[in-house]
Amino acid sequence: MMYLFATVLNGSPIKFPQISYVSILPEIILIGVAATIMLLVALIGRTRATYGYTGLGVAAALISGVWSYHLNQSVTSHGARSVIGGALAVDGFSTFFMILTSLGLIVTLLVAEAYLYKVAARGPEFVALTLLSASGAMLMESAYDLLVLFIGLEILSISLYVMVAFTTSRKLSKESAFKYFILGGFASALFLYGLALTYGATGSTNLAKIALFLSNNTLTSNGVLLAGMVLILAGLGFKVALVPFQFWTPDVYQGAPTTVTGYMSGVVKAAGFAALLRVFFVAFETLRADWQPVLLVVSVLTLLVGAVLAVVQKDVKRTLAYSSINHAGFILLGLYVATAASIGDSLYYLFAYTVMSSGTFAVISMIAHLEDRTEMSLSLTDLKGLSSKYPKVALSLAILLLAQAGAPFTIGFLAKFSVLSAVIQAHHYALGVLAMLSVVIAAVLYLRITLSMYSPVVEKRDVSDEELVQAVSLGAVAVEVEEETQVKVKSKIPLPAGIAVFIALAITIGLALDANPLVHFAAQATLLK
Amino acid sequence: MFPYLETLVFLPGVIGVVIFFFPSEFPKRYYKGLGVAVSLVELVVAAAMLVQFKTGVGGYQMVSTYHWIPTFGIAWSLGVDGISLFLVVLSAILFPIAIFGSKETKDPKSFIAWMLILETACVGSFLVLDLFDFFLMFELTLIPTYFLMSNWGFSLGGRAAVKFFVYTFLGSAFLLIGILALVFIHDGGTGQVTFSIVALAHTQMSSTAGRLIFLAFSIAFLIKAPVFPFHTWSPDAYSQSPITAAIVLGGVMAKLGTYGIIRFDFQLFPQASRSLGWLILTLAVAGIVYGAVTAAGESHLSRLVAYSSLSHMGFIVLGLFAFTQIGLSGAVLQMFNHGIYTAALFLLLGMIYARRKTLDTSKLAGIQSKAPIMAGIFTVVMLASIGLPGLNGFVGEFMILLGTFITHRWWAVIGVSGVILSAVYMLWAYQKVFHRRDPEQRSFKDLSIREIATLVPLVILIVGIGIFPNVLLSRINPSVHKVLSNSTTQSIVYHSSLGKVAGR
């Protein structure tokens, strides 16, 4: 700061880093389109039809995805680099995540177009917010400096707080937004404090410089640094819902509009993990011996807590919230093992998870609307009879859930397989067994949801007094008469939602049958060091 | 050459998936015919493969390999030998019969689609030569079975399905860890990541590692078979699944476990299989006795068959771990035989259930006088299951006991009691259901022509194999010999003196 003042007073020009607009084009597009949308709303006024805005948003996501792919190719041919004075990294890792983010963004926007605006009665703002939040996610994914990372985190989070509260008519939505806001603010503060401590200990916020400092110097007392590291882990662990920072997850997942839940479990988690992986692998690489035991405990707890608590839930979204915690444990395993290959495996898992989870929540939105339960929670028993009413919807959900459980010929299986192979390759046999046990436990939850979809509706009919007397006189104690009802309902599924689910299903199965491209792609997504 | 194995593996599954996309206007009554037709084509291809199969060759035949995920060292590799040959034929025989005999009316489209996908999973498990592919196929069997059980099963089908799925999945979890451990130990030694079982068969590892990985593999196979004490899912699954699925469960899928033991345990961990053989043998014998005793006390016919299966699968495992040519050949033959008569038993139970809506022996009586044809066929099938000489069950069981007696005398001695007990429970059940006088004199329709047509092929096989077992054994023996000579040097002594008994 003093240096800055001095340069200004002396009259010598401040050196601004050269800005490589090409590398941040995806973020620029998203922010630009978000601003344009807000302008258009102000100029045109509010219209009932929102698909114009959605189209704009999807186009923006598509272009930034394609551009990210282009960047990815340029990284393959020209090598990874850091840009804007070392603030951002353009490497296989960041571009991989940006493509994934664009994909998640497209699914979110499509599902929101199909369902959310009917409930919330306002659309364009949501599109703008989602684009902004996704640009924050992309910033986090390519941040090479802790401060830039923090800015990305805040852009992502602040938009997200509003998105969670989007269905203002629902009390649950408001409540969960408030919870998320308070706890999220707390997590941001923790992260910032960790950042400050790290800066204090190493003299830089740039990841490469931190790494350089740590490899060149041996700290006589590294308490401050370790505290900073733990606080950063806590701040990011909150976003990706690692145990013990997971307490908000079930409440917020349940309360938020399902579209936003899908976005949170997909895009937001991906961004959080990207940041976590990069910070620990690039900056704190040399402290591996210090953070590995912590990560071991955290990942084991995350695996088990997620799986075990998921099984006892009654609400579908709460169940899936815990299942997403279990997935987070798996992804963290790759970080714990900490080999170059295991990062690729974690990335593959994240990709698969993001796609499956976004798809699953898209189908859940679909079901909530078909069943007219958008204002209420969706419990497991509400799903009964779904397969006879909407066989295709039920089959889609069943496939996505079984894929999450790790069924063969889906990317869900390959994801578990690849992370597990990294764990076993590093000779952590007990850990591998433990992870697989959590998979078996988690399988129960996916099967429970599937089972209730495929079981017939049992309607409890009020029994008239006359019948009751009869029943009693016959010596029967049953008061409720259960009967199977077969209702065939023809409800149209909006095209955008259909497309969103189709994308998820096509990737889930298609990229498992022709597995090599994605495996290769994830393996190529290496970090700039 | 015609791609027999590729067709066998992919034909039913691909058509099964395509069926899901059929328009809802497609008339429902054609689905069953379509399913029968596809599985009959599969049978024809399997028969053609059987003809093409060279006798006297121990190794894999018709091998083909395609690259799939080179980054992980995974390839699609198919091949058949004397051990998998008849299991494929068994699947190809049982599926058309099961579908033809099915009485499920609800949602025929999905039913047929799942059945065909299940056929691909079963046949695929027997034919792939890559551990990764095997695991995929082995797991894939769970999904159609889960849906068949929960959607078309009896009242508790859903719960039985979850129990089945989770129990088997637990075994698979250990299998996957075992596979990866093996692959990376091989990688550490040779620097080559591969899942090919041919390459992995020569992995150098410490005896402790070998034993642990052997156990990880075995637990999956023992659950799938099932072998005592990992059988607790099976009575529920057998009694709650629709008869069509029960035929596949008992007839084909149970063999996945024992097939896995020969193909993977014996070929990948020959030392561990020998040194821990006593453990599995003991479990097998315990299962033989326990299954038989429990079956004797069981009044629900499906559960009775489940426990009798436990006992009979125990025999097969006994024959495997005896490590003699005759015992192992007998076990492979018995896998086929058990599939045939179990399927026939389940078909008959389905026919009884369709008439009386119960399978409780205490509520069934006097069927023989009303339905003599059914009683006759039931008698033949039952006698095959008991192991009456001249029928197929005898040949396998005899060879197994002979082979076990040579190397593990006391296990064979206790195991023999299972033969006697099986006569007890089967005849008891038969008496209750068929002979006892029905106090209410309810009517009972005898088998229709269609039902007879379903059963006759199985009865022909039961009698035919009982008389001419050599047709099968001449194809099984060379591969069994190869398995044994890879895994040991000792048992060849027995083979040279007694193998001829089997070969005759």
Side-chain angles (χ1 to χ4, degrees):
Chain A
M1 216 51 187
M2 285 310 291
Y3 169 74
L4 197 67
F5 272 114
T7 49
V8 171
L9 291 174
N10 291 345
S12 58
I14 304 171
K15 267 195 187 162
F16 284 108
Q18 194 173 2
I19 295 178
S20 153
Y21 290 102
V22 177
S23 327
I24 51 170
L25 196 61
E27 287 96 333
I28 294 177
I29 293 172
L30 294 187
I31 295 174
V33 172
T36 316
I37 288 175
M38 292 314 289
L39 264 176
L40 282 176
V41 176
L43 289 176
I44 303 174
R46 196 171 298 280
T47 52
R48 279 191 66 84
T50 49
Y51 37 82
Y53 297 109
T54 302
L56 214 54
V58 171
L62 212 59
I63 294 170
S64 58
V66 170
W67 190 258
S68 307
Y69 183 74
H70 170 75
L71 283 176
N72 184 283
Q73 295 299 307
S74 83
V75 168
T76 320
S77 54
H78 296 97
R81 58 192 179 273
S82 69
V83 294
I84 318 183
L88 290 176
V90 180
D91 52 6
F93 186 84
S94 69
T95 46
F96 174 89
F97 273 102
M98 279 149 86
I99 294 170
L100 181 58
T101 302
S102 313
L103 196 68
L105 184 59
I106 292 173
V107 171
T108 307
L109 289 175
L110 287 175
V111 179
E113 166 65 29
Y115 297 120
L116 186 63
Y117 311 142
K118 295 192 180 99
V119 186
R122 69 194 68 166
E125 291 90 342
F126 187 83
V127 179
L129 281 169
T130 317
L131 291 178
L132 270 181
S133 159
S135 76
M138 286 185 177
L139 207 54
M140 278 175 83
E141 286 152 5
S142 47
Y144 209 54
D145 189 295
L146 287 175
L147 273 174
V148 177
L149 176 56
F150 180 71
I151 293 168
L153 182 68
E154 285 303 284
I155 296 177
L156 170 92
S157 307
I158 291 171
S159 319
L160 197 57
Y161 300 142
V162 187
M163 286 160 69
V164 173
F166 210 70
T167 46
T168 38
S169 58
R170 286 175 67 220
K171 215 176 123 197
L172 261 180
S173 174
K174 276 187 275 188
E175 183 193 321
S176 70
F178 198 66
K179 259 183 203 158
Y180 191 50
F181 175 62
I182 298 283
L183 289 171
F186 198 60
S188 293
L190 286 181
F191 180 85
L192 207 53
Y193 194 28
L195 192 163
L197 290 180
T198 309
Y199 178 71
T202 62
S204 175
T205 55
N206 184 289
L207 300 185
K209 283 183 187 151
I210 294 174
L212 191 70
F213 178 85
L214 289 177
S215 63
N216 288 343
N217 303 284
T218 313
L219 297 177
T220 46
S221 147
N222 60 359
V224 175
L225 182 63
L226 291 185
M229 199 169 74
V230 168
L231 287 172
I232 288 177
L233 176 68
L236 293 174
F238 171 85
K239 275 280 171 281
V240 296
L242 301 177
V243 176
F245 316 110
Q246 92 293 3
F247 292 100
W248 59 277
T249 320
D251 287 350
V252 174
Y253 274 35
Q254 186 187 12
T258 312
T259 321
V260 181
T261 312
Y263 179 79
M264 275 202 284
S265 80
V267 172
V268 177
K269 244 184 200 193
F273 266 114
L276 203 60
L277 289 169
R278 194 188 286 277
V279 170
F280 278 81
F281 257 85
V282 176
F284 299 139
E285 163 87 274
T286 42
L287 299 176
R288 179 181 291 210
D290 292 310
W291 52 256
Q292 258 184 334
V294 179
L295 285 189
L296 175 64
V297 175
V298 171
S299 55
V300 166
L301 281 178
T302 308
L303 280 169
L304 292 181
V305 167
V308 172
L309 289 186
V311 174
V312 295
Q313 301 301 318
K314 291 201 173 68
D315 185 87
V316 176
K317 277 160 82 181
R318 283 185 89 84
T319 314
L320 291 173
Y322 280 109
S323 109
S324 85
I325 295 174
N326 174 254
H327 286 301
F330 245 96
I331 299 163
L332 202 62
L333 278 183
L335 177 58
Y336 162 69
V337 174
T339 58
S342 78
I343 292 295
D345 297 326
S346 270
L347 293 197
Y348 188 96
Y349 200 109
L350 252 175
F351 192 101
Y353 162 74
T354 304
V355 169
M356 294 185 301
S357 171
S358 307
T360 307
F361 281 108
V363 184
I364 300 283
S365 302
M366 215 178 242
I367 292 168
H369 280 261
L370 286 172
E371 294 278 43
D372 239 352
R373 293 193 66 87
T374 44
E375 298 289 317
M376 289 157 275
S377 54
L378 193 69
S379 76
L380 281 175
T381 44
D382 293 332
L383 291 179
K384 284 197 171 177
L386 203 76
S387 72
S388 50
K389 278 189 278 181
Y390 318 105
K392 288 204 178 94
V393 176
L395 190 65
S396 308
L397 186 58
I399 291 173
L400 286 166
L401 288 174
L402 287 172
Q404 288 201 46
F409 297 106
T410 64
I411 48 174
F413 172 73
L414 283 173
K416 293 204 156 73
F417 175 81
S418 59
V419 168
L420 212 62
S421 68
V423 171
I424 299 292
Q425 193 169 16
H427 305 295
H428 300 298
Y429 298 108
L431 190 59
V433 171
L434 208 76
M436 276 316 281
L437 285 182
S438 88
V439 172
V440 175
I441 299 168
V444 178
L445 87 95
Y446 303 113
L447 292 180
R448 276 177 76 212
I449 301 179
T450 319
L451 197 62
S452 57
M453 282 195 302
Y454 280 93
S455 52
V457 194
V458 177
E459 278 199 353
K460 284 176 186 163
R461 191 156 60 89
D462 288 331
V463 184
S464 65
D465 285 354
E466 211 173 304
E467 278 174 308
L468 195 65
V469 173
Q470 235 174 353
V472 172
S473 66
L474 284 170
V477 264
V479 185
E480 288 163 349
V481 177
E482 295 186 336
E483 62 181 31
E484 275 192 27
T485 47
Q486 287 256 332
V487 204
K488 198 88 179 176
V489 186
K490 286 257 183 218
S491 262
K492 250 183 99 84
I493 289 164
L495 184 67
I499 295 173
V501 173
F502 177 79
I503 294 174
L505 281 175
I507 294 177
T508 303
I509 294 175
L511 288 184
L513 294 180
D514 186 11
N516 215 39
L518 185 57
V519 171
H520 193 68
F521 185 45
Q524 291 286 310
T526 47
L527 281 158
L528 173 70
K529 293 234 168 166
Chain B
M1 199 180 78
F2 182 75
Y4 292 102
L5 305 188
E6 289 83 343
T7 315
L8 282 172
V9 173
F10 294 111
L11 174 81
V14 169
I15 294 182
V17 171
V18 170
I19 285 180
F20 273 120
F21 293 97
F22 273 27
S24 50
E25 290 81 34
F26 189 82
K28 286 191 171 174
R29 59 182 183 282
Y30 291 146
Y31 281 113
K32 189 169 162 184
L34 183 65
V36 174
V38 173
S39 50
L40 278 178
V41 172
E42 177 93 348
L43 178 58
V44 170
V45 179
M49 177 197 71
L50 184 60
V51 174
Q52 289 281 321
F53 188 87
K54 294 186 195 71
T55 52
V57 179
Y60 298 113
Q61 303 184 22
M62 306 181 202
V63 177
S64 59
T65 306
Y66 308 90
H67 288 294
W68 189 22
I69 317 178
T71 322
F72 290 157
I74 294 163
W76 257 110
S77 187
L78 300 172
V80 62
D81 71 349
I83 293 160
S84 53
L85 175 70
F86 288 101
L87 293 170
V88 174
V89 173
L90 174 70
S91 318
I93 292 173
L94 293 188
F95 270 91
I97 290 177
I99 297 175
F100 183 69
S102 68
K103 292 185 163 57
E104 283 74 19
T105 49
K106 182 183 135 193
D107 192 8
K109 178 177 164 180
S110 315
F111 183 77
I112 296 298
W114 285 127
M115 281 300 284
L116 291 177
I117 292 172
L118 183 57
E119 180 161 20
T120 273
C122 290
V123 173
S125 304
F126 295 132
L127 287 178
V128 292
L129 299 181
D130 186 285
L131 269 176
F132 181 85
D133 303 340
F134 174 76
F135 187 81
L136 277 186
M137 287 299 188
F138 190 73
E139 282 290 278
L140 184 63
T141 56
L142 296 186
I143 292 162
T145 318
Y146 168 78
F147 279 103
L148 287 167
M149 240 187 245
S150 61
N151 292 5
W152 289 273
F154 293 93
S155 54
L156 295 174
R159 282 168 65 185
V162 173
K163 189 171 177 181
F164 161 78
F165 192 105
V166 173
Y167 216 127
T168 332
F169 202 47
L170 182 69
S172 307
F174 286 101
L175 178 60
L176 184 58
I177 303 278
I179 290 176
L180 287 169
L182 175 67
V183 165
F184 287 118
I185 287 175
H186 182 263
D187 175 37
T190 62
Q192 182 198 10
V193 180
T194 175
F195 287 80
S196 150
I197 53 176
V198 181
L200 290 173
H202 308 292
T203 306
Q204 298 289 322
M205 60 188 133
S206 72
S207 68
T208 321
R211 284 178 183 209
L212 286 173
I213 304 176
F214 166 80
L215 287 178
F217 272 65
S218 299
I219 198 155
F221 299 142
L222 296 182
I223 288 175
K224 197 83 170 185
V227 171
F228 180 84
F230 307 107
H231 64 280
T232 49
W233 60 271
S234 75
D236 290 339
Y238 282 37
S239 59
Q240 292 300 324
S241 46
I243 295 294
T244 322
I247 293 169
V248 178
L249 261 182
V252 180
M253 280 170 66
K255 282 33 171 220
L256 279 175
T258 43
Y259 169 77
I261 289 174
I262 311 178
R263 176 68 84 231
F264 303 108
D265 279 355
F266 286 6
Q267 302 198 0
L268 300 176
F269 320 104
Q271 273 95 22
S273 304
R274 305 206 126 247
S275 60
L276 290 175
W278 60 272
L279 177 70
I280 315 271
L281 277 172
T282 311
L283 293 181
V285 170
I288 291 174
V289 177
Y290 173 84
V293 171
T294 320
E298 192 53 73
S299 64
H300 189 284
L301 284 174
S302 288
R303 295 180 73 89
L304 187 145
V305 176
Y307 282 113
S308 104
S309 240
L310 175 65
S311 179
H312 287 154
M313 291 310 286
F315 270 108
I316 295 173
V317 175
L318 193 66
L320 297 182
F321 279 91
F323 283 106
T324 52
Q325 167 85 25
I326 182 166
L328 198 48
S329 291
V332 175
L333 177 65
Q334 188 66 1
M335 285 201 247
F336 185 80
N337 292 336
H338 178 256
I340 296 291
Y341 62 67
T342 307
L345 271 177
F346 271 119
L347 276 171
L348 285 160
L349 296 192
M351 291 164 191
I352 294 174
Y353 185 84
R355 290 164 170 78
R356 281 284 156 84
K357 297 293 167 220
T358 179
L359 283 175
D360 200 326
T361 46
S362 61
K363 290 177 188 144
L364 293 164
I367 294 178
Q368 192 185 34
S369 55
K370 305 273 169 47
I373 303 175
M374 179 188 256
I377 294 180
F378 198 101
T379 311
V380 174
V381 175
M382 173 187 72
L383 291 176
S385 147
I386 294 172
L388 188 80
L391 299 176
N392 68 348
F394 170 75
V395 191
E397 238 161 52
F398 179 74
M399 286 171 69
I400 287 170
L401 286 171
L402 195 59
T404 315
F405 194 78
I406 298 167
T407 51
H408 298 83
R409 182 161 304 180
W410 292 107
W411 280 274
V413 168
I414 302 170
V416 158
S417 67
V419 180
I420 301 156
L421 285 169
S422 82
V424 174
Y425 63 76
M426 273 296 175
L427 291 172
W428 266 359
Y430 183 77
Q431 278 176 358
K432 281 186 209 155
V433 175
F434 284 90
H435 281 180
R436 210 165 43 158
R437 229 180 117 258
D438 184 9
E440 297 167 41
Q441 293 292 325
R442 290 166 295 180
S443 66
F444 193 95
K445 266 210 325 237
D446 206 346
L447 298 182
S448 66
I449 302 289
R450 198 187 167 86
E451 287 169 327
I452 294 174
T454 324
L455 286 164
V456 160
L458 295 177
V459 174
I460 291 174
L461 282 170
I462 286 173
V463 179
I465 296 169
I467 302 170
F468 306 109
N470 206 31
V471 177
L472 279 73
L473 286 173
S474 63
R475 288 169 173 80
I476 293 172
N477 278 332
S479 293
V480 166
H481 178 69
K482 188 157 181 288
V483 169
L484 283 178
S485 59
N486 278 351
S487 73
T488 176
T489 46
Q490 298 171 341
S491 66
I492 291 175
V493 182
Y494 302 117
H495 150 253
S496 56
S497 57
L498 283 159
K500 290 193 181 67
V501 181
R504 189 168 299 141

